[in-house]
Amino acid sequence: MITSAQLRAARALLGIDQRQLAELSGLSVPTIQRMEASEGTIRGNVDSLVKLIDALGAAGVEVINEGAVSNGGGRGVRLKAGSGSPKVQT
């Protein structure tokens, strides 16, 4: 699961806009916009959500789910250890 706030935070960590995330994930810009406009947990078809999470992971962002092991606890996003500077093409 990923929330709209986590999605916006992940984009901010990567320093990319909605268009760039759409290109990375293979989704349309309107789909990304709808996901970010959601309240709470993003709802969408499973294929789109998998593409989104995979694209964020490939770019170096780890999505932290509720109850997942994290030093700070709670929901959030973080850069994967050892990922250094995200490699995102603009």
Side-chain angles (χ1 to χ4, degrees):
M1 301 271 207
I2 182 172
T3 66
S4 56
Q6 285 176 302
L7 178 54
R8 290 188 301 272
R11 273 198 319 101
L13 278 174
L14 295 172
I16 61 174
D17 61 20
Q18 291 175 335
R19 179 190 55 78
Q20 291 167 309
L21 180 57
E23 290 172 4
L24 289 173
S25 64
L27 300 172
S28 68
V29 173
T31 296
I32 300 296
Q33 291 170 335
R34 278 192 302 276
M35 288 177 167
E36 287 193 1
S38 299
E39 290 198 24
T41 302
I42 293 174
R43 296 189 179 162
N45 72 47
V46 174
D47 185 52
S48 294
L49 292 171
V50 168
K51 286 181 180 180
L52 178 68
I53 298 298
D54 286 348
L56 293 174
V61 171
E62 180 179 355
V63 177
I64 307 165
N65 290 317
E66 188 69 37
V69 176
S70 172
N71 291 335
R75 290 187 173 267
V77 294
R78 63 179 168 219
L79 290 173
K80 290 180 180 178
S83 68
S85 185
K87 294 177 178 74
V88 178
Q89 294 181 356
T90 56

